[in-house]
Amino acid sequence: MNLDDEDLFRDAMGDVTPLKNCANTQWLRVPSAKAAAQTQPDAPPENFLTRGFLEIIPLTTPLEYKADGIQQGVLDKLRLGKYDLDASLNLLRQPVETCRQSLFSFMLEAHKQGLRNLLIIHGKGGNDESHANIVRSYVARWLQQFDDVQTFCMAQPQHGGAGALYVGLRKTDKARLDNRERHAKRSR
């Protein structure tokens, strides 16, 4: 350090006092590789999305799904793009297996973060046998395999139209509790 640096350091540290009782401070050791292997966090769940045989959905058929117990108004608002989007996933021009893995990890992360409204861009393709339509058909099948998915439908043109889906997820338990507390305060 040169003299200017020392002066700056002394000025910055002038009013600092040393800790009196250092015996109460515990310093963590750097974990060894062996200890890290033993305390490995829970492995991510296995990807349960199906592979194999697929019924290709014709391009003329709009993709839409509503779980049991979900009101039609929720699907209508989703279809009109009235919910703010929390996150999006782009699956354009990717192999089917990559799409499968990406969608699975995206949905797990969305659940973990408590997101509600998603946009999944899958592409449309020029004919029923195009790669984009195969991915589109798989995405429609895969989304129904998630318990958290309440609804999905074709997106508005500004978000991709027939080449994208709006996905509505179930509220997390924490979000439900927060909502209950917020509304309970108003009713008092």
Side-chain angles (χ1 to χ4, degrees), residues 13 15 38 40 58 68 75 78 83 92-93 113 118 122 126 138 143 151 153 171-172:
M13 302 304 285
D15 60 343
Q38 292 173 349
Q40 190 174 25
D68 292 336
L75 181 60
L78 188 68
Y83 294 115
L92 291 175
R93 297 179 191 90
Q113 291 184 18
L118 310 174
H122 49 71
Y138 267 119
L143 286 174
T151 60
C153 62
K171 276 185 186 174
T172 62

Side-chain angles (χ1 to χ4, degrees), residues 1-26:
M1 273 202 244
N2 62 31
L3 291 176
D4 291 337
D5 289 340
E6 286 181 35
D7 289 338
L8 285 172
F9 179 75
R10 289 188 204 291
D11 287 342
M13 302 304 285
D15 60 343
V16 175
T17 57
L19 295 174
K20 293 180 181 171
N21 188 358
C22 291
N24 290 340
T25 305
Q26 295 181 352

Side-chain angles (χ1 to χ4, degrees), residues 23-92:
N24 290 340
T25 305
Q26 295 181 352
W27 300 99
L28 300 176
R29 292 184 213 131
V30 177
S32 66
K34 185 177 180 182
Q38 292 173 349
T39 61
Q40 190 174 25
D42 295 333
E46 186 177 331
N47 190 337
F48 54 79
L49 300 177
T50 57
R51 297 178 185 170
F53 179 74
L54 170 73
E55 262 187 60
I56 295 176
I57 300 170
L59 285 172
T60 56
T61 306
L63 298 181
E64 192 169 281
Y65 168 76
K66 181 176 72 143
D68 292 336
I70 303 301
Q71 295 176 354
Q72 183 63 36
V74 172
L75 181 60
D76 293 341
K77 278 182 81 173
L78 188 68
R79 186 183 305 112
L80 293 172
K82 293 195 175 182
Y83 294 115
D84 292 332
L85 296 173
D86 297 322
S88 66
L89 174 67
N90 188 343
L91 300 174
L92 291 175

